[in-house]
Amino acid sequence: MSKPFKTLLFLLPLTAAPVQAMPVQASAPLSDQLKRCRTLTDTATRLACYDAMAVLPGRSRDPAPRRVLNEDKEGPLTTTLRTASVGGDGRWIFTLAQGGRWLQTDDAPLGRRPNPGDAVEVRAGALGSYRLKVKTGPSIKVRPLG
């Protein structure tokens, strides 16, 4: 390991110490916290201030993923197809009998053109994704529309 790299590894924790000493008060309104962070002149300290705001208890940086299906309670959604059309980007848009609309998100082929009345199964996939299967064809990745 080179000497400059060892020196950097030694100094890195020392530069983080002042950053950790800059807590953001959870009770202050968000606009006050933003103003406080904006006034900091040191780049690392300012960044740490903004980061601390993002992880306050009860706050989330990203909205919770919207789950359309709860397979633990309901199992996969089994219904029939009302309409199926190809969008301008070449991906399928499915309207199901109960009114739900789903957009294909992968480029997998369906095998055959789906027809109104075909059996459809939608099940939850990995990491918040969904898979739709028309009749006995292959399953494709989809996401709910509006």
Side-chain angles (χ1 to χ4, degrees), residues 116-127:
D118 282 352
V120 175
E121 180 182 86
V122 181
R123 60 174 62 243
L127 303 173

Side-chain angles (χ1 to χ4, degrees), residues 77 79-83 94-102 144-145:
L77 171 65
T79 185
T80 57
L81 187 65
R82 183 183 300 162
T83 62
F94 301 93
T95 304
L96 306 183
Q98 91 287 8
R101 293 185 53 188
W102 297 82
L145 283 175

Side-chain angles (χ1 to χ4, degrees), residues 5-146:
F5 186 69
K6 287 180 184 177
T7 304
L8 179 64
L9 286 177
F10 173 76
L11 293 176
L12 191 59
L14 297 176
T15 61
V19 171
Q20 294 171 352
M22 296 294 302
V24 175
Q25 296 176 355
S27 60
L30 183 60
S31 60
D32 292 345
Q33 294 173 26
L34 286 169
K35 288 175 187 174
R36 182 180 163 279
C37 291
R38 195 177 348 163
T39 62
L40 299 172
T41 56
D42 179 61
T43 305
T45 306
R46 187 173 54 251
L47 178 60
C49 182
Y50 286 127
D51 284 347
M53 286 175 42
V55 293
L56 288 174
R59 255 192 216 149
S60 173
R61 281 189 277 187
D62 299 321
R66 190 182 85 181
R67 295 296 295 181
V68 176
L69 300 176
N70 186 349
E71 287 196 70
D72 294 338
K73 294 180 183 177
E74 305 164 4
L77 171 65
T78 304
T79 185
T80 57
L81 187 65
R82 183 183 300 162
T83 62
S85 59
V86 179
D89 60 357
R91 296 184 180 188
W92 287 94
I93 300 170
F94 301 93
T95 304
L96 306 183
Q98 91 287 8
R101 293 185 53 188
W102 297 82
L103 173 68
Q104 181 181 11
T105 59
D106 64 8
D107 294 323
L110 282 177
R112 68 169 190 84
R113 182 173 183 78
N115 296 311
D118 282 352
V120 175
E121 180 182 86
V122 181
R123 60 174 62 243
L127 303 173
S129 66
Y130 297 96
R131 303 214 44 102
L132 181 141
K133 183 176 183 175
V134 179
K135 232 177 180 179
T136 57
S139 67
I140 59 171
K141 290 182 182 178
V142 292
R143 71 172 173 83
L145 283 175

